[in-house]
Amino acid sequence: MGELLFKQRKRLWCGLPWTFTIYSFDEERLFIKSGMLNIKEDEIRLYRVLDLSLKRSFIQRIFGLGSIVVDSSDKTMKCFEIKNIKEAKEAKEMLSQLVEEERQRKRISGREYMSDHGGFGYDDDDDFDDGHYH
């Protein structure tokens, strides 16, 4: 694992970091670790990220929080949120820059992943069988 560029604990609606979810990323991957007794660790390669957006509710703005919505071509983590983090706008911009750098480094265009993501609203080839829809 490379050097972590970002690491932050998910916060409660009031801004307190009393949760068991930790978000982090390095130059190549995004990590989500959750749980206390049963721990789950997810990893998404940054070149698989298709879109990032920022959400900030009224309560989140009061407490200086925000959530980053991530849409990816990853099979298990297609769309998820990095919820209730401080300095969410800065984290989103840093993540966006890393995604672009990783795509350029691997010479991957967004168009290549649109088909992997089911670009026309279909999930891969599972929806097709000899030209008929299921």
Side-chain angles (χ1 to χ4, degrees):
M1 182 163 85
E3 180 183 341
L4 291 180
L5 303 172
F6 173 87
K7 183 176 181 180
Q8 199 173 130
R9 188 176 296 273
K10 177 182 170 184
R11 296 172 182 268
L12 300 176
W13 63 271
C14 60
L16 297 173
W18 294 343
T19 66
F20 297 100
T21 301
I22 298 174
Y23 304 109
S24 58
F25 54 80
D26 62 17
E27 292 180 349
E28 297 178 357
R29 298 170 294 179
L30 170 65
F31 307 97
I32 302 171
K33 182 178 177 182
S34 59
M36 184 176 83
L37 298 176
N38 297 319
I39 296 174
K40 180 181 177 189
E41 295 183 22
D42 287 305
E43 173 185 318
I44 296 93
R45 297 274 175 185
L46 293 183
Y47 69 85
R48 292 190 169 276
V49 172
L50 298 173
D51 189 49
L52 297 170
S53 60
L54 181 65
K55 276 187 2 182
R56 296 185 70 207
S57 69
F58 179 68
I59 295 292
Q60 284 177 318
R61 289 193 321 263
I62 289 173
F63 289 101
L65 304 174
S67 296
I68 302 170
V69 180
V70 180
D71 189 25
S72 80
S73 64
D74 190 85
K75 297 288 184 194
T76 59
M77 301 279 296
K78 288 196 182 281
C79 187
F80 60 93
E81 284 187 39
I82 300 172
K83 296 180 184 175
N84 291 344
I85 59 170
K86 287 197 166 285
E87 300 175 356
K89 184 175 184 177
E90 292 80 2
K92 179 192 153 289
E93 292 303 318
M94 183 189 314
L95 188 56
S96 180
Q97 182 66 36
L98 289 169
V99 166
E100 289 305 314
E101 288 172 6
E102 188 66 4
R103 279 190 182 166
Q104 288 176 1
R105 193 172 72 78
K106 292 195 176 284
R107 294 186 174 104
I108 296 171
S109 71
R111 190 179 316 168
E112 291 175 39
Y113 274 96
M114 292 305 277
S115 61
D116 283 350
H117 192 60
F120 295 102
Y122 305 115
D123 292 329
D124 298 327
D125 295 329
D126 296 339
D127 293 332
F128 300 100
D129 184 24
D130 298 327
H132 295 78
Y133 298 109
H134 288 280

